Amino acid sequence: MGTQHERVDTDFLFTLAFNEQFDQLARHLLQNSEQAVRMQAAELLAEYSETMDDEEREPIRAALIAAVQQEPSDAVRARTIEALSEFGESAIDDLVDSLGDPERPTPAEEPYPNYLLRWFDSDYSEFRLVAVAAIARLDSHDGVPKLAAACSDLDPRVRLRAVTECGRVGDDRCVRAVATHLTGNEDELRHAAADSLQRIGSRKAIRALLPAAKSDDTDLRRTAIGSLGEVGSLNLLGTLLRGLDDDDPTIRAAAAESIIELVAAAPSEESHTVRETVAKQLNTFPDRDIVPVFLSLFEESDRPKIRRNTAWLLGRIADEEPRTDVVHALIKAIADDDAETTRVATASLVRIDDPAIIDELERFIKATDLDSKALNRADFIRSRLTDSEAEARLKDAVEYTEVSDPADYTRKQAEKDSR
């Protein structure tokens, strides 16, 4: 007569869960010799995770991580990872950190990170999820194609995490796999794809965002338009100009910043052409008043590159019809902490060349404690607007380099230093 397997009693675990004795459930997960008991303990910890208070969650989270590392059964380990995922995405990150700790045991006593690379091909989606979450820390060239393939995993959690991790890895080999989700039906996945392409940041990745710039999804459109300028190509200007005319003010703001990024990122040999083309297109922009969006960018940005290039552009798009708000902002900038911004703002004010600037300048000087350099710039502007010979006299008195665009100052200063 053969040996008959007896059913393992796990009913007592439900009593522990009902009485919120979660520490006892964790003890059975870690120490009980019966696989069925460990499996049921993991399932109950997952089920009751939302009822735990903060003080209870931390030790249970730590116990689950320890159980993943020491559990001999893949089935129980997978269920334990599932339970851990109920504690939030950061819990999986903590597990990955722990798996990389040489002082801690490794699953099935297999060397780190070999088993993680193997987990990409596991039948357990929980193993694939951990492998995907770990890839950015593995620094594995061979793991990137596996990560790209995971972007089409059947499990939605793995798929989403893979697309997100592609952004962290920043490898161009992920671009095509990520870009396929820009037009999918899953909102969270579409946004994750756009964010990842933006984080990858290569020309290939940013160009892959182009279709999203025409999306009906406002957030997706904003992400795409906010990234395109980094390519520095005039081929993308048309898309950015459409964004500048968008009905959503946040997209107009993103388009304005991208246009400035495009100007700043243009290769040096194309810089003049790019700047002049952008200025010309903006000066012929139909219907909508675009000056306010660039003015807001100039006043609100804390990035010197953006401020100095916006100062230059404001001098170009506001010179035919001088505006008090633009003049006031540029005058304030002559005392900017960034020396190049002050020089570009000064040159833009001279270009606008309106007598009203003098009155604004006088008011600013009286109301502000200016250092000597800022006062010299103010005097230079005032002199240029009233006396064509003043520039020569000013150059005799103070060191000053007039600029026509933000790249001029750096170039002229380098020429001076080489003499």
Side-chain angles (χ1 to χ4, degrees):
M1 187 173 178
T3 302
Q4 185 172 358
H5 293 287
E6 295 183 3
R7 176 183 177 275
V8 176
D9 179 23
T10 60
D11 290 347
F12 71 98
L13 296 173
F14 290 89
T15 302
L16 292 176
F18 182 77
N19 292 323
E20 298 186 348
Q21 294 178 280
F22 304 123
D23 57 333
Q24 293 300 309
L25 283 175
R27 183 176 65 81
H28 283 289
L29 173 63
L30 288 165
Q31 299 176 8
N32 200 291
S33 61
E34 296 290 347
Q35 178 175 325
V37 172
R38 299 195 305 276
M39 177 71 84
Q40 188 63 68
E43 290 179 356
L44 288 170
L45 287 171
E47 183 179 341
Y48 282 82
S49 62
E50 292 186 2
T51 69
M52 300 176 191
D53 59 35
D54 290 340
E55 288 186 6
E56 291 173 312
R57 288 175 70 86
E58 285 308 309
I60 299 303
R61 178 170 162 152
L64 289 168
I65 289 173
V68 171
Q69 294 181 275
Q70 71 178 44
E71 173 58 50
S73 163
D74 277 353
V76 177
R77 181 180 292 112
R79 192 65 188 94
T80 304
I81 294 171
E82 173 70 23
L84 186 62
S85 69
E86 296 294 331
F87 286 71
E89 187 175 289
S90 63
I92 298 298
D93 292 327
D94 289 345
L95 171 61
V96 170
D97 287 339
S98 188
L99 291 173
D101 185 347
E103 302 300 321
R104 304 287 293 271
T106 59
E109 298 182 353
E110 190 175 353
Y112 175 89
N114 294 9
Y115 62 88
L116 284 171
L117 293 173
R118 180 173 57 81
W119 280 4
F120 271 102
D121 302 314
S122 173
D123 290 337
Y124 291 105
S125 60
E126 293 82 8
F127 287 9
R128 300 197 302 273
L129 177 64
V130 174
V132 163
I135 186 64
R137 310 174 201 206
L138 296 182
D139 193 26
S140 170
H141 181 81
D142 294 336
V144 174
K146 291 180 176 292
L147 177 63
C151 290
S152 56
D153 195 278
L154 295 177
D155 188 297
R157 298 169 306 166
V158 177
R159 204 159 54 236
L160 178 61
R161 187 68 192 247
V163 168
T164 300
E165 292 300 323
C166 282
R168 291 178 182 159
V169 170
D171 195 301
D172 259 3
R173 288 176 291 171
C174 295
V175 168
R176 179 178 294 180
V178 172
T180 59
H181 294 293
L182 287 175
T183 55
N185 296 322
E186 301 173 72
D187 287 349
E188 191 173 11
L189 196 56
R190 283 203 310 274
H191 295 153
D195 289 340
S196 283
L197 289 171
Q198 185 180 48
R199 291 185 69 176
I200 292 171
S202 65
R203 282 177 171 257
K204 180 179 178 181
I206 299 303
R207 287 185 182 280
L209 271 170
L210 264 173
K214 301 175 183 178
S215 172
D216 291 336
D217 184 322
T218 300
D219 291 338
L220 200 64
R221 201 159 72 251
R222 185 188 307 112
T223 298
I225 288 174
S227 303
L228 295 180
E230 297 173 21
V231 176
S233 170
L234 280 175
N235 292 333
L236 302 177
L237 182 58
T239 300
L240 295 178
L241 291 174
R242 284 192 293 274
L244 201 58
D245 198 34
D246 198 279
D247 290 335
D248 188 290
T250 63
I251 291 178
R252 294 200 298 273
E257 186 161 1
S258 269
I259 287 171
I260 297 300
E261 290 276 10
L262 186 154
V263 169
S268 57
E269 66 275 10
E270 300 174 13
S271 178
H272 179 74
T273 299
V274 169
R275 291 178 186 281
E276 293 303 320
T277 301
V278 168
K280 179 180 178 181
Q281 290 296 319
L282 292 177
N283 271 317
T284 58
F285 200 80
D287 303 326
R288 193 184 296 276
D289 182 6
I290 60 171
V291 171
V293 70
F294 286 101
L295 182 58
S296 293
L297 176 62
F298 178 65
E299 293 179 321
E300 295 170 9
S301 178
D302 57 1
R303 299 169 58 196
K305 178 180 75 171
I306 295 297
R307 283 178 54 76
R308 68 178 67 122
N309 282 283
T310 309
W312 175 85
L313 190 60
L314 284 170
R316 292 303 186 101
I317 64 177
D319 60 346
E320 293 185 8
E321 186 178 342
R323 302 169 57 133
T324 301
D325 50 358
V326 173
V327 168
H328 184 69
L330 291 173
I331 287 175
K332 282 179 64 178
I334 67 173
D336 198 273
D337 291 336
D338 178 59
E340 193 170 342
T341 298
T342 67
R343 288 169 170 81
V344 176
T346 299
S348 287
L349 286 165
V350 170
R351 179 182 178 82
I352 292 174
D353 192 19
D354 186 85
I357 293 175
I358 297 176
D359 294 334
E360 283 290 321
L361 201 59
E362 294 288 355
R363 280 192 286 270
F364 179 70
I365 291 171
K366 289 177 182 178
T368 311
D369 293 329
L370 298 179
D371 61 22
S372 58
K373 289 184 178 179
L375 281 172
N376 284 333
R377 292 184 197 107
D379 188 41
F380 171 77
I381 296 167
R382 184 167 43 195
S383 299
R384 280 295 299 268
L385 296 176
T386 58
D387 187 346
S388 61
E389 297 179 0
E391 181 181 0
R393 294 201 304 271
L394 185 64
K395 284 183 178 178
D396 290 337
V398 297
E399 180 179 344
Y400 182 78
T401 305
E402 183 183 358
V403 293
S404 61
D405 69 56
D408 279 353
Y409 175 69
T410 303
R411 182 173 61 253
K412 291 180 180 179
Q413 192 64 37
E415 291 171 355
K416 178 180 176 182
D417 292 341
S418 67
R419 291 200 293 268

